[in-house]
Each structure stands twice: as structure tokens, then as C-alpha cells.
Amino acid sequence: MKTNINEYEDKETRNIYNIKSTLESSKKILGLSEEIVRNISKEKNEPDWVLNIRLKALDLYNKMEDPDWGPDISYLNIDELLTYVKPSTGENRSWEDVPDDIKEVFDKLGIPEDEKKNLAGVGAQFDSEMIYHNLTEKMKELGVIYTNFDVAIQEYPELVKEYFTKAVPLTDHKYIALHYALFSGGSFVYIPAGVKLDQPLQSYFRLNEKGAGQFEHTLIIVEDSASLEFIEGCSAPGYNELNLHAGCVELFVKKNAYLRFSTIENWSKNMLNLNTKKCYVEENGTIEWIMGSFGSKVSMLYPLSVLNGRNAKCEFTNISFAGKGQNLDTGFKVIHNAPNTKTVVNAKSISKDGGICLFRSYSWVKNNAKNSKLALSCESLMMDSESRSDTIPVNNIETSDCVFSHEASIGKISERAIFYLMSRGMSEVEAKALIVRGFAEPIAKAFPVEYAVEMNRLINLELEGSIG
Amino acid sequence: MEKILNSTPVRTTNKFKINDIKVDIPDIEFINFDDYKIDGNYNVSIKDKFNSRIGLDYNKYLNIDLDVNKDNINLEFNVNKPLVLNININSSIDSTVNIKYIGNNIAITKINTSLNNSNIKLNVINLLDKEAYNIIEFTNTLVDSNMTTNFIDIGGKVKLSNLLTDLNSSNSTYNLNNLYLGINEDIIDMNYLINLNKPNTNSELVVEGLLNDKSKKSFKGTLDFKEGSSDSIGHENENCILLSDEAKSKSLPMMLCHEESVDGAHGVSTGKIDEEKLFYLMSRGLSKDESIRLILNANINKIVNCIDDVNLQQEIIDIINKEI
């Protein structure tokens, strides 16, 4: 069964995200063909081994079928999509060198402000290319690499070759094949053994061009006993034409290493978000996923953690908020492939005004994962009966020596709670917003504080839109 | 012949191998319905064209129309020859229907229950031999009625079950209590769908299972709160104890919701026997084996006690204890 949603109008409530840069791009490529793929590779002056990956991926894309499950995305016509949009600026090391028009967009999103205050490094992508990457001197001295993925291919070819496509293979699904044919931009992060970053790195992805696709590739390697917090932000202004985001994130967490990967996704509601994320975790390593999905017309996003080493851990914390016209099909996957591995999942969703939130998960405990523990919890809040909230968890347990539990619940806001708050002088809107913020609070706490504040603001905006 | 059977109502990626089950089902060339004498005053006939949601179709089948007019009906099938059976239960009185299977062959059954303003308890007990097949499909349509199905599925090497319940009026209730046992290389596949179509409907699914040796089980249970099912309650709970490290358990407890004002919850737990419980009992002087048996019997009894017949309860417990 395919889940469908009706066409919608973007009410442009997410005002700060709706800034449109009028800056002309220096190059735009429409559609997909072998020639186009070769041209993108040539533009980036890539070595043959990278071009070969692109061509192999293109061939796979052409042969593979759309998934026969999940939201309907059959209306996506790749021939009508701008598959490569080059901004009229190269990558800059100084914020001052970024063209004013682009700078204004990122300034309004608060990116440089954050960098000054509390980030070890910042990257910013505009359409198909990174336009800014910077890392503090202190980090550079420690051997940390944080750069544009295209640059990494040129400057660190051996390192890239060792890990690129190794977590997420070309064959994973049709849209990862499309990604590998067209990938452009993204971040490459390498944290040497023993280096613990006390401030996060943040990459921000902005898709400005209407009718365009963004295919950034993020590759992060956290070596033995190192630690990193990485924040990924995504947004786009609203258009009537369909935009596509088919990014890929490959993460490698080595022995005793720690990685917290936070994503705030607030794509506009004309976006198909078909992102793929995967993490390999070695002995005593920890991956923490913090995800907030607010935007996009359709999302299909299920980060996979493979716990390959003894005592490896995965924590997954997610909140989805689907409003009118949105179909957010999100979730997670985990494979326990070693003894004493642990997973904790805390997922929440809110749906309103006909929005669809679907939580899909896959938990696989292999026979060698003795003494594993998994605790999964999903909670859904429905604001009205036009909306949908579905839970589809698949659990595959192949050893008796594990403790697995999954619980899920669906409910509405208690009318008694609203009545109580209203009797204390709150309006209905304020009362509902307070309760929803309370529902989301355990997740909000996991986000960086600026994002938590932003999330609460988005909840308020969404609820006022529904009632006011 | 290998067939793809028992498809889920909502599909997920085929990579998870849970949408359907591929299983060898022996061909049934010829069914001699004379082998099955039905005692009692029921309307029994042989009919053409047996189609099932589970995915098996046959040319002929034995049909029994049970117009329930007394408070207790017992049917027992000694399945030593293939059996393709359809039972239609219509009831307007409160009653209990017991259906029991023994024997060593293949039993393929559809049980259709249509209730209007009545309460019924349906006990289906599969005590087939180890090499048998039990394939069963329940279809329940309830209007102003309450129904409980107690389904004990312990016999046979292949156990496929499919259940569809439509709660078609307010204040209707459907409960399922299901106990399964997997031993040797048994294959168990359960695919249950409860549609809560109207306001104030209730449904509770309780599924308890034990898997030993190299047995494999898939549990697919769906609660679907349709638009208009306001103030309905749907709970689903599956608890699977793995007694062998080679046993495999898959579960897919789906919850679909298109109504704001409902109380929906599901829980699944899979794994070994709770070590804290074991420790407690052993610290009270019981041996490890005795403690394990006591814990397992507590789980089994949750379902078995739902059947009123004490002798039947004991028969079921004895069979399970012998197997594990």
C-alpha cells in the first residue's frame, strides 16, 4: 500500500527559512544522462575511480525500480530536475569573501553567529557546492580534517578511497544510486585517534534554486578514542516546483570513539527528502543520533547503525512534526552484530492538519550478539482526525540471549489538561502549544540549545497556523 | 510446493523478509470428505471453490453452517487425511464454540463468524501431531457484539494463521488470546488485522509464545484505527520466550491510526527467561529447572486459563510440558 497525500499550498509560515536569494547561479544542468554525469565529474576535475563510481551508479539507477512500499514518489521526474547548480562563488575560507546575497541568507539563519560563539568549525553548502568551510586553528593543529567532500577527494584520496561507499553501497536502493551518480559537495571529517572535540562542527545545507536537487555526501571518520559532535542543518525556501534532496551520510565510529550526529531538517514543503544515513560502530564505540524532521513534502529517512564491536552502543532520538500536505516516513534501523551491544530508541511524532507521520523501524539482533539489550519506545500525538499516525516496526531476534522490548502508543492531547490550563488563564492555542512542547521536551533537551529554542518556535508557529 | 502466503496488510521493504512467508505446502490431489463425519445437527455440505486471504485455493471444500442455538458446541476433527474446511458461525445468542484438531495430516480451515447482538467465545485448539500442518483463517464481523477467540496453536510443523476482525458498531469488543509453541524446525506465521471502524470499539490482542530448538516464528499484528473510531481502545501485546539459541523470532506489531481520540498501544518483548524472576525463585529453594518450568507455566496459563474446560486445559499444559 502506498501512502498518499494531497497537493498542498506552502503557507510560508517558516518565515526565516523562506528567504530567497536572487543571485544568479553560474551553471545549471537539467536532467540526467551519462554525458551530464561525465560533465559534473569533469567540472570537479575528479580522478577516474570517482567517475567510474558515478557511471556505475547511473547504470544502477536506470535499472532499479522505485520501492513498492512507503509514500508515493512516482511523480518525481528526474528529467525536469536541475541536477547540478553551481553558485557564482567558489569555496571561501573567510566569511567576508562570501557574496553578500548568499551571506545574507546564512546570516539570517544564524550560521556565522553560531560559529563565533560555540563551534569548532562551520561548513555551508549553497545548492550543489560548498561555499564556505572553516575550522579553528586549534583543531587544525590537532590534525582534525573538516573540508568540502569534493576537496577531500583531491587532497586526501587514499583516506576517501578507504571509506567512500563502504558504509552505504551503490546498490542500497534506487535513490542512493542516483546520489552516487550526481553527488556534489558535502563535508569530509576526520578526527584523529584520541582527539576529543569539546565544541561541535556544523554543516548547513541550503537549497536555493527552484526545481533543483541537492546530492551532498558527508563522510565522517572518528578514530579510536576520539569524540565528535556534528550538527547538520537543512533548509530551503518554498517554491511550487518539486525539489529533491538525495544526500548520503557515511559514519565510521572506531574503538572507544564517540559520535553525536544531530540533524535539524526543515526543508520547505515542496521537497522530496530521500536521504540515506549509515554508521558502523566498533568495540566500545557510541553513536548517538538526534533527529528533528519538520519540513519536506515527503521524507523517507531511516538511519542505520551497525554495531560491529563488543559493547558498541546506539542511541536514537527522533521527533517528527507533520503538518498539512506532509508525509514524513521516518524511522531507524539497527543491526546488533557483536556481544553486549545496546540500543535505546526514543521516537516521538506529532501530526496535524492532515499530515502523515509514519515510524518505520528494523531491529536485527544476530545470533552472535549475546547479552544484547534493545529498548524501543515510540509515542505519537495526533492533533486531529484528518491526520495519520502509523507505526511499522520490524523486529528480528536471532538469539535467546538478549532482552528486547518495544512499546508504542498513540494518543491525543488530554481535554482535561487543556481545560486545566485554560482555567488558569491561557488561551486554547497557548495551552495546546504548551502541552505539545512538553511532549517534545525530552527530545528537545537532546538538541543544541539554539535548535531546541528553534524547535519550540516551530511548534508554536505550526499550532497557531492550525487554530488561529 | 513452495508458496508465498499470508501477506501483511501494509507492506514494508522486502529486505526485511516479513511481508509474506515462503513455505512448502503439500499438494492436495483428492479430498475424500467421507473421512469426516460430523456429529451433531449441523448443515454440512461439499462446495466448490475455496479461496482464502492466506493465499491457498482449492476446488472443493467441506462446509459447515453453524447456526448457534445452544450455549456450547463442540467440534473435533481427527485430521488423518487432508481437510479443507469452511465453518460459518452465525449467532444471536451467548455461547461457546470449541473446535479441536488432532491427527497427523494437513488441516486448512476458514472460520467465518458473523455476530449481531450476541456474545461468543470461540476456542480453537490445535493439538495436531508434530508432522502435521495447521493453516487457519479467521474472519469476524461484529455488530453490537462481543467476541473472544482463544487460539491454542501448538501442534504441527507448519502453523499459519490469518485473522481479520471488523468491529462494525459502537461498543463492540473483540479479544484474542493466542498461545503458540515452536519446536524442532517448526514454522509459525501469524498475520492478524483488527479494523476498529466505529466509535467506542475495543480490542485486545494477547499473544504468548515459546520457541525451542530451530523453530522460526513471524508475528504480524495490526491494529487499524479507522477514521470515525473515536474513543476506541486497541491494545496489542506479544511476548515470545526463546528457549533455544537457534530459534528465531520476528515480529511486526503495526498500529495504523486515522483518528485523533483513541487509546492505542502495542508492546513486544522477546528474549530469554527473566533472570530476576529466576533468581527470586531459586533463592526460595527451587531448582533451576523447576523455576524455569514455573515461569513458563505462568506465561502459558495466562492463555490456557481462558478456556473453561479444565480437562482440556490440563491436556494442553501436559503436551507443552512434554515438548519443552
Side-chain angles (χ1 to χ4, degrees):
Chain A
M1 186 180 87
K2 291 275 185 184
T3 42
N4 285 297
I5 50 170
N6 298 326
E7 286 300 308
Y8 69 94
E9 292 161 27
D10 192 344
K11 293 200 299 195
E12 302 191 0
T13 48
R14 294 164 184 193
N15 43 15
I16 67 157
Y17 297 99
N18 208 37
I19 322 145
K20 291 172 187 165
S21 167
T22 52
L23 193 75
E24 279 298 310
S25 306
S26 72
K27 188 166 194 173
K28 293 180 190 176
I29 296 176
L30 184 72
L32 179 66
S33 67
E34 185 178 329
E35 194 190 347
I36 286 169
V37 169
R38 284 181 182 278
N39 280 343
I40 292 171
S41 187
K42 198 175 166 190
E43 178 85 21
K44 294 173 182 289
N45 197 23
E46 287 173 348
D48 284 349
W49 69 269
V50 177
L51 174 63
N52 289 339
I53 286 174
R54 289 185 184 276
L55 294 174
K56 197 175 162 193
L58 175 66
D59 186 46
L60 281 167
Y61 172 78
N62 287 329
K63 286 178 184 162
M64 289 168 106
E65 297 289 327
D66 269 338
D68 64 354
W69 51 275
D72 180 20
I73 49 170
S74 58
Y75 47 81
L76 172 64
N77 184 351
I78 199 74
D79 295 325
E80 291 175 0
L81 196 79
L82 290 168
T83 46
Y84 180 74
V85 181
K86 187 177 182 180
S88 58
T89 175
E91 192 176 30
N92 303 282
R93 291 282 168 191
S94 161
W95 193 247
E96 297 310 312
D97 298 336
V98 175
D100 287 345
D101 205 327
I102 296 178
K103 206 155 60 181
E104 191 189 334
V105 172
F106 283 100
D107 279 343
K108 284 183 181 164
L109 293 168
I111 308 304
E113 246 174 77
D114 286 345
E115 182 186 359
K116 276 176 229 155
K117 275 192 280 181
N118 48 17
L119 295 173
V122 161
Q125 174 151 343
F126 202 76
D127 293 329
S128 298
E129 296 289 355
M130 294 301 289
I131 50 102
Y132 179 68
H133 250 111
N134 195 23
L135 185 67
T136 60
E137 287 303 320
K138 189 181 153 199
M139 293 299 124
K140 284 180 197 164
E141 282 165 18
L142 290 170
V144 172
I145 302 170
Y146 177 48
T147 185
N148 178 345
F149 189 72
D150 296 332
V151 171
I153 290 173
Q154 306 293 342
E155 293 185 4
Y156 310 99
E158 292 311 313
L159 208 47
V160 172
K161 221 173 187 173
E162 189 180 341
Y163 293 99
F164 182 49
T165 73
K166 300 301 185 290
V168 182
L170 278 60
T171 49
D172 223 27
H173 57 83
K174 186 179 174 79
Y175 293 94
I176 200 64
L178 179 69
H179 165 86
Y180 279 118
L182 293 168
F183 72 90
S184 182
S187 293
F188 175 81
V189 182
Y190 180 80
I191 312 294
V195 174
K196 295 183 193 298
L197 269 67
D198 48 10
Q199 288 182 310
L201 297 176
Q202 177 176 317
S203 282
Y204 202 92
F205 300 96
R206 177 78 179 168
L207 184 52
N208 188 67
E209 189 71 39
K210 70 175 171 183
Q214 195 172 57
F215 307 93
E216 88 288 349
H217 196 91
T218 297
L219 176 55
I220 299 177
I221 303 139
V222 187
E223 287 286 7
D224 292 358
S225 303
S227 95
L228 167 69
E229 181 174 353
F230 188 88
I231 303 167
E232 182 190 60
C234 318
S235 70
Y239 292 111
N240 291 325
E241 286 177 46
L242 198 65
N243 280 26
L244 171 67
H245 176 240
C248 178
V249 174
E250 295 187 284
L251 310 175
F252 296 87
V253 177
K254 300 297 184 69
K255 281 183 186 172
N256 303 310
Y258 168 88
L259 172 60
R260 172 181 267 212
F261 191 92
S262 305
T263 306
I264 307 290
E265 178 271 295
N266 192 26
W267 295 115
S268 54
K269 293 183 184 174
N270 56 316
M271 181 70 81
L272 288 189
N273 181 31
L274 311 177
N275 213 355
T276 307
K277 298 178 178 182
K278 200 166 175 181
C279 180
Y280 276 94
V281 190
E282 293 185 8
E283 198 175 320
N284 289 319
T286 301
I287 173 73
E288 285 181 16
W289 301 93
I290 316 286
M291 287 185 19
S293 298
F294 297 93
S296 78
K297 174 187 173 72
V298 169
S299 267
M300 291 177 81
L301 176 57
Y302 325 97
L304 167 62
S305 307
V306 184
L307 305 180
N308 265 344
R310 187 178 279 271
N311 298 323
K313 290 186 201 73
C314 168
E315 268 190 43
F316 181 85
T317 306
N318 178 58
I319 188 155
S320 299
F321 196 135
K324 188 179 179 187
Q326 289 184 275
N327 189 344
L328 304 185
D329 197 305
T330 60
F332 90 105
K333 292 180 279 186
V334 68
I335 299 174
H336 283 240
N337 193 27
N340 299 330
T341 42
K342 288 189 181 68
T343 295
V344 177
V345 174
N346 186 7
K348 299 205 176 204
S349 73
I350 303 159
S351 45
K352 62 175 266 293
D353 291 344
I356 300 171
C357 271
L358 194 148
F359 180 80
R360 215 180 273 274
S361 70
Y362 182 62
S363 310
W364 182 11
V365 182
K366 289 193 172 183
N367 189 258
N368 58 340
K370 307 297 181 207
N371 196 30
S372 286
K373 291 188 172 76
L374 292 86
L376 281 60
S377 162
C378 309
E379 286 178 83
S380 307
L381 190 60
M382 287 184 65
M383 305 297 290
D384 54 60
S385 294
E386 289 168 64
S387 306
R388 278 199 72 96
S389 180
D390 299 339
T391 318
I392 307 183
V394 179
N395 312 308
N396 186 5
I397 313 298
E398 294 186 346
T399 175
S400 61
D401 191 5
C402 84
V403 179
F404 172 86
S405 69
H406 173 113
E407 52 183 49
S409 63
I410 291 178
K412 65 164 186 172
I413 295 182
S414 151
E415 282 177 12
R416 285 180 66 180
I418 295 172
F419 177 78
Y420 176 84
L421 292 171
M422 288 175 73
S423 74
R424 297 300 186 265
M426 280 188 174
S427 70
E428 188 182 344
V429 177
E430 286 167 339
K432 281 194 172 177
L434 183 69
I435 293 165
V436 173
R437 286 203 305 274
F439 174 76
E441 200 247 347
I443 311 271
K445 273 202 294 202
F447 282 122
V449 66
E450 298 80 2
Y451 283 97
V453 170
E454 184 59 19
M455 193 177 96
N456 283 339
R457 204 183 64 81
L458 280 170
I459 289 171
N460 288 347
L461 270 173
E462 289 288 354
L463 291 175
E464 280 163 19
S466 72
I467 304 159
Chain B
M1 188 182 167
E2 192 172 74
K3 293 177 191 283
I4 297 172
L5 303 171
N6 225 5
S7 300
T8 49
V10 175
R11 296 183 78 75
T12 192
T13 172
N14 284 329
K15 287 179 189 171
F16 299 162
K17 295 182 182 162
I18 198 162
N19 285 325
D20 339 86
I21 183 159
K22 271 187 198 171
V23 60
D24 269 323
I25 302 290
D27 288 334
I28 300 176
E29 298 290 334
F30 175 75
I31 305 168
N32 186 352
F33 293 106
D34 293 340
D35 293 324
Y36 292 98
K37 302 285 183 204
I38 311 297
D39 295 331
N41 187 22
Y42 310 117
N43 185 1
V44 181
S45 58
I46 295 166
K47 290 194 170 179
D48 294 332
K49 287 194 179 158
F50 180 96
N51 301 314
S52 65
R53 280 193 310 279
I54 229 164
L56 290 170
D57 300 330
Y58 297 95
N59 289 332
K60 292 204 178 296
Y61 64 95
L62 188 69
N63 185 72
I64 302 173
D65 289 326
L66 284 183
D67 288 316
V68 178
N69 53 13
K70 55 181 180 176
D71 58 6
N72 210 321
I73 289 176
N74 294 300
L75 289 173
E76 183 168 324
F77 297 94
N78 191 349
V79 188
N80 287 317
K81 297 279 173 60
L83 173 65
V84 179
L85 175 68
N86 183 71
I87 302 174
N88 296 319
I89 301 174
N90 291 296
S91 176
S92 53
I93 63 161
D94 298 352
S95 61
T96 299
V97 176
N98 298 302
I99 300 173
K100 184 175 160 188
Y101 298 87
I102 54 171
N104 58 15
N105 214 297
I106 176 167
I108 298 159
T109 313
K110 289 200 296 182
I111 303 176
N112 308 305
T113 308
S114 181
L115 300 183
N116 197 333
N117 198 23
S118 60
N119 302 321
I120 197 166
K121 189 189 262 192
L122 173 65
N123 298 322
V124 176
I125 319 293
N126 158 19
L127 301 180
L128 290 162
D129 294 348
K130 284 179 194 171
E131 291 303 307
Y133 292 73
N134 187 42
I135 298 162
I136 191 157
E137 183 177 294
F138 300 93
T139 307
N140 308 310
T141 311
L142 274 59
V143 176
D144 296 328
S145 300
N146 300 317
M147 179 175 182
T148 298
T149 303
N150 299 312
F151 178 36
I152 309 292
D153 202 15
I154 56 179
K157 65 178 179 183
V158 172
K159 297 177 259 266
L160 309 184
S161 51
N162 185 299
L163 183 146
L164 169 65
T165 294
D166 275 292
L167 293 167
N168 282 346
S169 79
S170 300
N171 303 316
S172 288
T173 299
Y174 178 75
N175 295 326
L176 171 72
N177 301 304
N178 185 184
L179 173 68
Y180 62 84
L181 171 69
I183 55 166
N184 302 326
E185 294 187 4
D186 288 0
I187 292 171
I188 306 166
D189 194 87
M190 294 161 272
N191 186 9
Y192 303 156
L193 169 61
I194 314 292
N195 288 322
L196 297 106
N197 296 317
K198 297 288 177 186
N200 290 307
T201 50
N202 292 290
S203 188
E204 183 156 2
L205 274 65
V206 180
V207 180
E208 291 283 337
L210 304 175
L211 293 183
N212 206 355
D213 306 320
K214 293 182 178 176
S215 56
K216 291 180 186 169
K217 167 234 85 178
S218 288
F219 167 75
K220 303 169 274 192
T222 306
L223 289 171
D224 193 350
F225 292 93
K226 301 284 188 189
E227 195 169 3
S229 63
S230 55
D231 301 316
S232 290
I233 300 170
H235 293 167
E236 175 182 18
N237 219 310
E238 197 230 348
N239 180 27
C240 175
I241 294 180
L242 299 171
L243 298 167
S244 148
D245 202 36
E246 291 176 289
K248 290 180 179 172
S249 163
K250 282 186 185 175
S251 56
L252 171 52
M254 267 194 271
M255 194 152 55
L256 311 176
C257 184
H258 206 330
E259 177 60 51
E260 167 201 18
S261 174
V262 298
D263 172 2
H266 67 214
V268 172
S269 62
T270 309
K272 56 189 173 187
I273 290 172
D274 189 330
E275 281 178 356
E276 277 184 30
K277 284 183 192 166
L278 205 56
F279 177 78
Y280 177 84
L281 291 172
M282 287 171 72
S283 72
R284 279 350 182 223
L286 277 94
S287 72
K288 190 174 180 186
D289 275 0
E290 285 168 336
S291 305
I292 289 173
R293 201 159 288 277
L294 198 62
I295 294 167
L296 294 182
N297 277 336
N299 282 30
I300 295 164
N301 284 338
K302 252 189 251 175
I303 308 294
V304 174
N305 287 347
C306 299
I307 297 165
D308 302 325
D309 184 336
V310 181
N311 294 333
L312 192 54
Q313 282 182 13
Q314 197 53 49
E315 189 181 355
I316 294 162
I317 290 167
D318 289 347
I319 290 174
I320 295 175
N321 278 329
K322 194 176 140 203
E323 295 299 344
I324 60 175

